[in-house]
Amino acid sequence: MDWQPDEQGLQQVLQLLRDSQSPNTATQRIVQDKLKQLNQFPDFNNYLIFVLTRLKSEDEPTRSLSGLILKNNVKAHYQSFPPPVADFIKQECLNNIGDASSLIRATIGILITTIASKGELQMWPELLPQLCNLLNSEDYNTCEGAFGALQKICEDSSELLDSDALNRPLNIMIPKFLQFFKHCSPKIRSHAIACVNQFIMDRAQALMDNIDTFIEHLFALAVDDDPEVRKNVCRALVMLLEVRIDRLIPHMHSIIQYMLQRTQDHDENVALEACEFWLTLAEQPICKEVLASHLVQLIPILVNGMKYSEIDIILLKGDVEEDEAVPDSEQDIKPRFHKSRTVTLPHEAERPDGSEDAEDDDDDDALSDWNLRKCSAAALDVLANVFREELLPHLLPLLKGLLFHPEWVVKESGILVLGAIAEGCMQGMVPYLPELIPHLIQCLSDKKALVRSIACWTLSRYAHWVVSQPPDMHLKPLMTELLKRILDGNKRVQEAACSAFATLEEEACTELVPYLSYILDTLVFAFGKYQHKNLLILYDAIGTLADSVGHHLNQPEYIQKLMPPLIQKWNELKDEDKDLFPLLECLSSVATALQSGFLPYCEPVYQRCVTLVQKTLAQAMMYTQHPEQYEAPDKDFMIVALDLLSGLAEGLGGHVEQLVARSNIMTLLFQCMQDSMPEVRQSSFALLGDLTKACFIHVKPCIAEFMPILGTNLNPEFISVCNNATWAIGEICMQMGAEMQPYVQMVLNNLVEIINRPNTPKTLLENTAITIGRLGYVCPQEVAPMLQQFIRPWCTSLRNIRDNEEKDSAFRGICMMIGVNPGGVVQDFIFFCDAVASWVSPKDDLRDMFYKILHGFKDQVGEDNWQQFSEQFPPLLKERLAAFYGV
């Protein structure tokens, strides 16, 4: 007997569904309470499915809403539905998937996939066979509804469908879907491709077995009239390029021709999918050979796609020139992620390869939706990195026309093009920069805000070159204009200028010192002018300035300008306010730069950081004990506070001692070092190392408790935690001296294992080598027996580090260990020679140590053997050793 609703109950449910469409918040609250009550009745869900599938007299939005409430119930507590209710719902879904309304079909499809993903695919064996069967229906609605449901199941459960758990249904489903690529309805063709597309990236076996049929069918649909079908064809080809390029290579010429057409499709969604093809192709090794002959067509298409569309301009309020007085709406402000402190060593090569800002494709992030402009710019950027200078002959003729175009939209796209190629084509662009940079600086005062903001971004991409020229040539005019833009009347320009200025600061470093007064005046003036979102970027510009000029900032007149507004903000913000993150990061850089100049401000800042750590720990404790009563804390507050304490310890050095003495920071640190969240531990170990350097007297009593925790965190699975723990151990060695002896065995084996691990990141290797060296320096007898197990990777990881204190102590340690166990170094002596030669100017006594070891080895083996041995040296190494050490 079929379930039937009670009339009164049905009216109640319908009233509830009508009320829940009311915009009134009070009504909404009543609805929520009522839902809670009704959910106590097991057959409430029967009423909901009944309204969705049977009550054709109701309007569609109400019926659909009934289905969506049921979907939420299924999500929340399907496991506790009585079997008759669950069966009724499943049967109703399958019987009505062909409803006349597309909205109702889609709602039923969502309901089916929600039930399926609650582990019910195994418990509902008839679902997939029935849906596949319904595809054969003569009735369009039934076929479309079943396909819609299958597409959602393929999206939600692709891995399960390709597993033995279900007896591999794809072996039947994929060939079935492929038949429908030729269906007369575009909606159905589109569903069929979308279903198969779900299985490309995971290389499902059933699809791989039919791959050639699939590709043939895709080619047949290449010029389909329906944009949704064309979009899915493009999407399929982009994914196949990643996973089965071998099958596409024979057709590559015609695929590229097709994608060139589609990238200009009049439907922007199709064009965007097609444009992804160039991004993906650029990552493939064959890119250069297959694409070189097509660049002449492709480049103009990409450049053309980089213009703002009319929609973009409306969304970006491109006609609004002045909006600085308009407050920001909170949802415009993206959540910021604090990057915890990682300890690194200074390198020989000043400039790292691969610039770090490769991620920041142009700056219209208010449209953070991916669009054709962004995708075209990103494609040009990666292709510039593949083809380098070879791109320019296709670009330069276009650029001239764009950059001086009377229409601002075209000119703006030209400036974006120039920025997009900056990284890849830098060498080839150099001859043109002396006239281009002044033109771009002129564009900074264009009357259109969107032109001013893109000029900021593009100039920042050429900052490295600007700084390499005499400062009066370009640096001074660029800085002057950028500072004016920081005070622009338009918020987007302010933001772009602040970000560009931060990049310029990183490149120029101490070159900015002569202009500090002027720079600070501007940044401080912006404090009073900026709305919420840009204030957060301003903090970053100030922090970067402090990092870049360092102790040059420690002048009374600069401190007088900078500190009052920062401290005022600091006092305005509550402990719960996330705006503290960027402000704390900024203050951390400022404290490190000002050193003793920060003393007058350190007490309240220090106290508050300790309070933030304490509050977060307390809240975490409450939450662990009573998760139902308390919320989990946001541990970022604690992480940022620990990092600022590190900045204070580093900047103030010994002056931090009294602050530490008057607080319980060591007890808190003991808890933080054992936190479950890696980032908390990472920041704790950085702080431990900084406190060890600044005021070891307070750390020493805790060493016995801290060392076992440090030992357990030498786990390279968490790279940054492991890195900071390693560094802290090295700093503790230097303070403990011979008293380190009881702790050597807790850490040594892990350190030796890490230094020998393949694929260990460079920073971790360097810090590990320094710490092993320092352990050996204070306890040579304990560490020297293991010399042979680490000497080779030890030497290779430290040869690129600049001369500094850390390198000095580590090499003294190695020399002392060689003294204890000379046999440990014999097999790898050439590596030791190479590492010694990496020193530019070692201290005299260290140089003597090197001299004794080198000559001792030479005397030991005898002149002839030494000649043979040193024949293997590269010429440069031979020269250096002869010049410095006379061997």
Side-chain angles (χ1 to χ4, degrees):
M1 174 55 199
D2 223 0
W3 178 88
Q4 286 299 327
D6 163 72
E7 191 48 43
Q8 202 186 344
L10 186 59
Q11 286 315 316
Q12 229 187 329
V13 171
L14 285 171
Q15 190 51 50
L16 179 76
L17 291 168
R18 285 187 204 107
D19 288 346
S20 66
Q21 294 172 61
S22 145
N24 180 340
T25 41
T27 316
Q28 285 299 336
R29 241 179 254 123
I30 297 167
V31 169
Q32 288 309 319
D33 294 341
K34 192 88 179 124
L35 272 175
K36 273 204 189 98
Q37 285 169 13
L38 289 171
N39 269 321
Q40 306 305 311
F41 300 103
D43 67 351
F44 172 50
N45 293 303
N46 284 1
Y47 282 90
L48 291 173
I49 189 76
F50 187 87
V51 174
L52 173 66
T53 55
R54 306 256 190 115
L55 213 56
K56 316 264 175 169
S57 53
E58 275 301 318
D59 60 85
E60 288 178 15
T62 303
R63 290 172 59 200
S64 170
L65 182 64
S66 185
L68 294 174
I69 291 176
L70 177 54
K71 175 208 70 164
N72 289 337
N73 283 350
V74 167
K75 240 187 172 142
H77 28 246
Y78 184 72
Q79 270 61 32
S80 55
F81 283 20
V85 173
D87 291 343
F88 181 62
I89 294 172
K90 292 200 286 201
Q91 173 202 328
E92 282 300 300
C93 283
L94 283 174
N95 291 347
N96 293 280
I97 191 71
D99 193 281
S101 146
S102 63
L103 176 65
I104 301 301
R105 293 198 298 274
T107 309
I108 295 175
I110 291 174
L111 190 50
I112 289 177
T113 187
T114 310
I115 295 172
S117 56
K118 293 301 279 186
E120 281 290 304
L121 263 179
Q122 288 100 317
M123 308 293 290
W124 194 356
E126 66 275 20
L127 172 64
L128 293 171
Q130 282 205 12
L131 286 175
C132 286
N133 229 353
L134 292 170
L135 295 182
N136 304 330
S137 166
E138 293 296 306
D139 172 49
Y140 167 80
N141 290 339
T142 306
C143 176
E144 196 278 325
F147 238 134
L150 280 165
Q151 184 181 332
K152 294 181 181 89
I153 294 171
C154 292
E155 283 166 12
D156 293 341
S157 310
S158 61
E159 279 176 24
L160 186 59
L161 289 171
D162 187 31
S163 70
D164 288 327
L166 295 175
N167 207 357
R168 306 224 167 246
L170 290 186
N171 295 338
I172 298 162
M173 288 162 68
I174 289 212
K176 179 109 189 156
F177 294 155
L178 289 171
Q179 293 168 9
F180 284 87
F181 277 40
K182 298 190 165 68
H183 196 277
C184 58
S185 150
K187 186 99 197 258
I188 299 223
R189 293 198 296 275
S190 180
H191 276 315
I193 311 170
C195 282
V196 179
N197 282 357
Q198 293 306 320
F199 303 101
I200 300 178
M201 294 312 282
D202 292 333
R203 297 185 169 81
Q205 194 50 52
L207 176 56
M208 295 302 128
D209 297 343
N210 290 284
I211 195 81
D212 291 327
T213 319
F214 176 44
I215 291 172
E216 253 167 67
H217 282 36
L218 283 174
F219 289 169
L221 292 176
V223 287
D224 200 281
D225 295 337
D226 183 79
E228 199 57 29
V229 172
R230 295 198 301 274
K231 185 178 97 176
N232 282 326
V233 169
C234 290
R235 183 173 290 171
L237 289 169
V238 171
M239 290 192 283
L240 287 168
L241 192 58
E242 254 186 83
V243 297
R244 287 308 302 263
I245 194 165
D246 57 312
R247 309 312 293 151
L248 297 187
I249 286 175
H251 318 281
M252 198 49 99
H253 178 76
S254 44
I255 293 176
I256 289 175
Q257 284 303 327
Y258 173 66
M259 285 298 187
L260 287 167
Q261 293 311 127
R262 290 288 69 82
T263 308
Q264 307 170 76
D265 201 287
H266 46 258
D267 182 303
E268 187 177 328
N269 293 320
V270 179
L272 178 56
E273 283 297 337
C275 194
E276 297 277 354
F277 181 82
W278 315 114
L279 269 179
T280 305
L281 183 57
E283 287 165 6
Q284 306 301 325
I286 60 155
C287 175
K288 225 171 163 164
E289 57 176 291
V290 298
L291 200 53
S293 59
H294 301 278
L295 286 178
V296 61
Q297 290 165 283
L298 173 60
I299 298 302
I301 293 172
L302 290 178
V303 167
N304 194 40
M306 286 163 75
K307 290 202 293 279
Y308 275 126
S309 67
E310 285 170 25
I311 290 285
D312 291 342
I313 295 170
I314 295 165
L315 288 174
L316 287 170
K317 308 194 175 60
D319 324 331
V320 180
E321 294 303 320
E322 280 218 16
D323 60 358
E324 62 173 350
V326 183
D328 295 327
S329 74
E330 287 309 306
Q331 67 262 33
D332 288 346
I333 298 174
K334 284 215 217 91
R336 288 180 77 270
F337 298 102
H338 170 69
K339 212 165 156 296
S340 314
R341 228 174 147 89
T342 311
V343 186
T344 53
L345 296 163
H347 281 160
E348 268 321 327
E350 281 295 309
R351 184 174 170 73
D353 302 333
S355 72
E356 284 161 33
D357 50 13
E359 297 310 307
D360 60 3
D361 270 301
D362 98 82
D363 63 348
D364 45 345
D365 60 10
L367 275 189
S368 52
D369 317 319
W370 193 232
N371 56 20
L372 185 60
R373 165 187 166 91
K374 290 191 164 184
C375 191
S376 306
L380 190 60
D381 186 347
V382 290
L383 289 171
N385 277 299
V386 172
F387 287 95
R388 304 273 162 192
E389 284 57 60
E390 294 165 40
L391 216 56
L392 292 177
H394 306 290
L395 258 177
L396 291 171
L398 296 173
L399 260 174
K400 202 105 183 147
L402 298 173
L403 289 170
F404 297 95
H405 201 280
E407 278 179 57
W408 75 265
V409 178
V410 181
K411 176 171 161 181
E412 193 277 345
S413 71
I415 300 172
L416 172 58
V417 168
L418 207 50
I421 60 168
E423 200 187 327
C425 303
M426 183 57 90
Q427 284 327 103
M429 287 305 294
V430 166
Y432 307 100
L433 293 179
E435 67 178 298
L436 274 177
I437 297 294
H439 176 64
L440 286 172
I441 292 176
Q442 225 176 331
C443 293
L444 285 174
S445 42
D446 193 273
K447 59 181 195 301
K448 291 304 286 185
L450 289 171
V451 174
R452 299 198 296 276
S453 62
I454 199 67
C456 290
W457 178 73
T458 293
L459 279 160
S460 76
R461 302 268 289 174
Y462 290 96
H464 185 62
W465 181 83
V466 167
V467 171
S468 70
Q469 304 300 300
D472 286 352
M473 292 281 292
H474 304 291
L475 178 61
K476 209 171 163 185
L478 171 58
M479 195 186 59
T480 314
E481 283 307 308
L482 264 185
L483 288 170
K484 285 185 196 155
R485 291 292 67 84
I486 285 178
L487 302 179
D488 199 276
N490 179 280
K491 293 195 286 193
R492 166 175 305 280
V493 179
Q494 294 171 358
E495 177 184 356
C498 257
S499 301
F501 196 70
T503 306
L504 184 63
E505 289 169 340
E506 283 173 351
E507 292 289 352
C509 292
T510 49
E511 298 273 348
L512 296 179
V513 173
Y515 318 109
L516 265 175
S517 184
Y518 180 43
I519 294 172
L520 287 170
D521 284 340
T522 305
L523 297 179
V524 169
F525 190 74
F527 254 114
K529 187 179 170 78
Y530 277 13
Q531 298 295 341
H532 187 178
K533 181 181 173 190
N534 286 349
L535 260 183
L536 306 184
I537 297 161
L538 181 62
Y539 293 141
D540 181 53
I542 292 172
T544 309
L545 179 67
D547 294 338
S548 304
V549 300
H551 65 90
H552 296 285
L553 198 56
N554 189 5
Q555 299 290 336
E557 65 153 325
Y558 301 155
I559 296 175
Q560 228 10 72
K561 287 179 192 228
L562 181 57
M563 288 309 296
L566 284 176
I567 294 296
Q568 186 193 337
K569 288 287 173 208
W570 170 262
N571 292 331
E572 284 169 17
L573 293 176
K574 297 192 171 51
D575 280 352
E576 302 57 65
D577 195 326
K578 291 202 173 176
D579 285 4
L580 274 175
F581 299 170
L583 179 55
L584 285 158
E585 285 171 32
C586 167
L587 278 170
S588 179
S589 297
V590 170
T592 309
L594 289 185
Q595 298 172 350
S596 60
F598 197 79
L599 270 174
Y601 309 96
C602 66
E603 181 125 15
V605 173
Y606 179 89
Q607 288 308 340
R608 184 167 197 181
C609 288
V610 173
T611 309
L612 283 170
V613 174
Q614 199 155 2
K615 276 190 175 175
T616 313
L617 285 172
Q619 202 183 334
M621 186 95 114
M622 311 273 262
Y623 173 70
T624 319
Q625 289 166 356
H626 309 283
E628 66 295 336
Q629 288 176 24
Y630 295 98
E631 277 190 19
D634 180 344
K635 288 189 179 173
D636 275 355
F637 283 103
M638 171 156 76
I639 296 167
V640 184
L642 290 166
D643 287 347
L644 176 46
L645 288 169
S646 283
L648 286 176
E650 194 183 335
L652 299 173
H655 294 295
V656 84
E657 190 272 323
Q658 297 127 345
L659 295 171
V660 175
R662 296 200 296 270
S663 70
N664 60 340
I665 187 66
M666 299 314 296
T667 321
L668 298 174
L669 200 50
F670 182 62
Q671 290 174 265
C672 294
M673 287 163 52
Q674 300 175 77
D675 197 273
S676 57
M677 187 174 176
E679 289 80 4
V680 176
R681 301 200 301 277
Q682 175 184 337
S683 294
S684 312
F685 296 136
L687 176 56
L688 177 62
D690 283 317
L691 289 175
T692 298
K693 288 171 81 167
C695 54
F696 189 61
I697 140 174
H698 297 297
V699 178
K700 192 170 184 183
C702 314
I703 290 297
E705 286 186 296
F706 285 7
M707 282 309 298
I709 302 173
L710 284 162
T712 9
N713 278 281
L714 296 178
N715 167 8
E717 233 181 291
F718 301 105
I719 295 292
S720 303
V721 180
C722 182
N723 179 67
N724 290 2
T726 304
W727 173 75
I729 293 168
E731 290 300 338
I732 289 170
C733 286
M734 298 313 288
Q735 302 289 341
M736 290 284 281
E739 292 179 60
M740 195 68 190
Q741 196 253 325
Y743 307 107
V744 174
Q745 292 319 315
M746 282 181 195
V747 297
L748 185 58
N749 289 334
N750 286 351
L751 291 169
V752 172
E753 199 177 314
I754 292 166
I755 205 168
N756 282 296
R757 256 176 101 241
N759 305 329
T760 304
K762 209 163 73 220
T763 309
L764 180 55
L765 281 178
E766 291 160 0
N767 274 318
T768 306
I770 296 276
T771 294
I772 291 176
R774 289 178 151 191
L775 268 173
Y777 178 58
V778 296
C779 302
Q781 298 295 340
E782 282 69 22
V783 187
M786 295 189 74
L787 198 53
Q788 197 179 340
Q789 293 178 45
F790 61 74
I791 185 72
R792 181 185 285 198
W794 191 95
C795 292
T796 46
S797 56
L798 288 186
R799 60 188 303 273
N800 299 322
I801 299 290
R802 270 189 278 168
D803 296 7
N804 65 9
E805 283 305 313
E806 285 159 319
K807 185 170 174 176
D808 178 273
S809 53
F811 270 84
R812 286 170 194 275
I814 275 292
C815 292
M816 290 169 73
M817 289 187 273
I818 292 174
V820 174
N821 176 17
V825 71
V826 171
Q827 286 176 333
D828 298 305
F829 199 69
I830 185 165
F831 291 93
F832 177 72
C833 296
D834 178 56
V836 165
S838 76
W839 276 89
V840 183
S841 45
K843 292 183 182 156
D844 291 345
D845 59 336
L846 181 60
R847 182 185 301 241
D848 289 344
M849 289 167 124
F850 292 158
Y851 184 90
K852 286 194 180 109
I853 292 173
L854 292 170
H855 279 271
F857 186 84
K858 185 178 173 180
D859 299 344
Q860 192 88 39
V861 297
E863 191 64 48
D864 292 356
N865 285 339
W866 177 262
Q867 278 321 111
Q868 263 180 313
F869 174 67
S870 59
E871 280 310 307
Q872 313 163 33
F873 290 180
L876 191 66
L877 176 58
K878 228 176 177 158
E879 265 169 50
R880 291 192 77 152
L881 290 178
F884 284 107
Y885 302 99
V887 288

